Amino acid sequence: MSDPIKNRYEFVILFDVENGNPNGDPDAGNMPRVDPETGLGIVTDVCLKRKIRNYVETVKEDEAGWRIYVKDGVPLNRSDAEAYKALDVDEKTVKEKKKADPDLDRKIRDWMCANFYDIRTFGAVMTTFVKAALNCGQVRGPVQLGFARSVEPIVPQEVTITRVAITTEADAEKKGTEMGRKYIVPYGLYRCEGYISANLARKTTGFSEEDLKLLWQAILNMFENDHSAARGKMAVRELIIFKHDSELGCAPAWKLFGAVKIARKDPADTAPARAYSDYAVTVDEAALPAGVTCTRMG
């Protein structure tokens, strides 16, 4: 792995959905998440991180140093046990060995960071006390995402569907179709803001320039290998990156995020937006503080 990153970053992800459910709410029958006070659509940080993890897993295919810790079908303790085995400790001897080696906790944490991309990136809680007292520590990752919110209020629609495949023999004698429902957002443009701390990368996880390059690639392509009928047509439209010329940064994040403006191309248009082309996205680069540069990808 290369050296940890040396620059702080903030970034804005713009993605949209067409005739799909970008993030179902299990507390509301899997309807698209909505802020009840504003009507704005919501996509959680956990949902977006899952897409990024899935992309990395797809392109790296469990390559050494690029594995994914939080993945479907793999208990966390299975990966925790690998760190213990690599450092020649187990649940029964770990307490005694920690007394003999005060740096053992750090070595276990560092092994996990070196082997799992998503721990290096997002961090992880690796402290589990179920039957096996496997404790690999807790890591706060340098990359953090906020909730994505739609630019304008959304109106989730309930669509009734039918199918000709009947579930049981008894039902087949009574009817020829079965009814179902799905929820969609006809169109929504979402904005997500994120942060990358070079300080945490250096001190804790070792998140590197190579890791950063893969992160940008994963964000831009996180929906491209994740299409489904339920999610409809989803795409990352633009990734706007603010790079500081120092580890701790040159300006507050809110000032940089405030430089990104999204508005209707036609201010007089009151019809519901139905395409990305209905919007104009601008960045006031002239107002950026000294030491900050902006890159637009998409």
Side-chain angles (χ1 to χ4, degrees):
M1 294 292 176
S2 55
D3 293 334
I5 59 172
K6 295 179 173 58
N7 304 86
R8 195 185 100 186
Y9 294 84
E10 275 82 42
F11 57 93
V12 176
I13 309 168
L14 300 179
F15 63 91
D16 60 3
V17 58
E18 182 180 328
N19 295 326
N21 185 350
N23 187 199
D25 185 349
D27 290 327
N30 208 44
M31 287 183 63
R33 295 181 188 270
V34 177
D35 180 338
E37 294 185 318
T38 64
L40 297 179
I42 295 173
V43 174
T44 66
D45 59 323
V46 175
C47 176
L48 296 176
K49 288 177 181 178
R50 179 74 272 152
K51 304 292 187 290
I52 293 170
R53 286 184 170 103
N54 288 348
Y55 179 83
V56 172
E57 185 178 2
T58 297
V59 298
K60 290 299 184 179
E61 296 185 338
D62 279 341
E63 180 181 333
W66 302 94
R67 296 167 59 198
I68 296 299
Y69 180 65
V70 181
K71 62 189 296 186
D72 184 40
V74 180
L76 299 181
N77 274 171
R78 187 183 301 172
S79 300
D80 297 335
E82 291 184 37
Y84 274 45
K85 183 177 180 180
L87 295 169
D88 193 29
V89 295
D90 57 42
E91 303 94 310
K92 296 179 180 179
T93 63
V94 65
K95 288 185 178 179
E96 292 301 319
K97 291 195 174 184
K98 283 181 179 180
K99 291 178 183 178
D101 183 0
D103 285 336
L104 185 57
D105 279 330
R106 178 188 59 78
K107 290 176 182 178
I108 294 173
R109 183 201 69 193
D110 289 350
W111 190 93
M112 296 296 286
C113 288
N115 282 272
F116 295 97
Y117 176 82
D118 56 336
I119 297 178
R120 274 199 312 280
T121 305
F122 303 126
V125 176
M126 302 172 287
T127 305
T128 56
F129 297 99
V130 189
K131 291 183 178 179
L134 293 169
N135 182 358
C136 294
Q138 299 183 28
V139 176
R140 182 155 65 101
V143 180
Q144 299 298 329
L145 299 176
F147 279 20
R149 290 185 178 270
S150 62
V151 174
E152 295 183 305
I154 62 169
V155 181
Q157 293 184 5
E158 183 180 22
V159 180
T160 301
I161 57 176
T162 61
R163 66 176 186 179
V164 297
I166 307 303
T167 304
T168 67
E169 291 286 350
D171 285 344
E173 295 176 1
K174 303 174 186 176
K175 56 187 178 181
T177 60
E178 287 188 335
M179 309 295 289
R181 290 182 177 86
K182 66 188 301 184
Y183 300 100
I184 66 166
V185 176
Y187 182 80
L189 176 62
Y190 289 74
R191 168 178 175 152
C192 176
E193 297 170 349
Y195 315 81
I196 303 179
S197 168
N199 186 255
L200 279 174
R202 175 177 61 83
K203 289 182 176 180
T204 308
T205 74
F207 184 80
S208 67
E209 292 291 341
E210 193 175 3
D211 293 326
L212 181 66
K213 182 179 178 181
L214 179 57
L215 176 67
W216 300 145
Q217 179 185 340
I219 290 173
L220 288 169
N221 294 283
M222 61 181 171
F223 301 120
E224 296 306 311
N225 295 288
D226 191 58
H227 294 295
S228 74
R231 280 187 286 275
K233 181 181 176 183
M234 296 189 68
V236 173
R237 294 294 187 163
E238 189 167 3
L239 172 61
I240 301 169
I241 303 167
F242 296 103
K243 179 180 180 180
H244 300 253
D245 64 4
S246 65
E247 180 181 284
L248 297 180
C250 312
W254 64 265
K255 285 189 176 181
L256 306 182
F257 293 144
V260 179
K261 305 292 185 183
I262 307 170
R264 288 291 192 96
K265 286 183 178 177
D266 181 0
D269 185 4
T270 59
R274 286 296 182 264
Y276 184 66
S277 57
D278 290 340
Y279 294 98
V281 180
T282 59
V283 180
D284 187 2
E285 296 192 40
L288 294 182
V292 178
T293 57
C294 176
T295 301
R296 300 178 68 169
M297 305 171 67

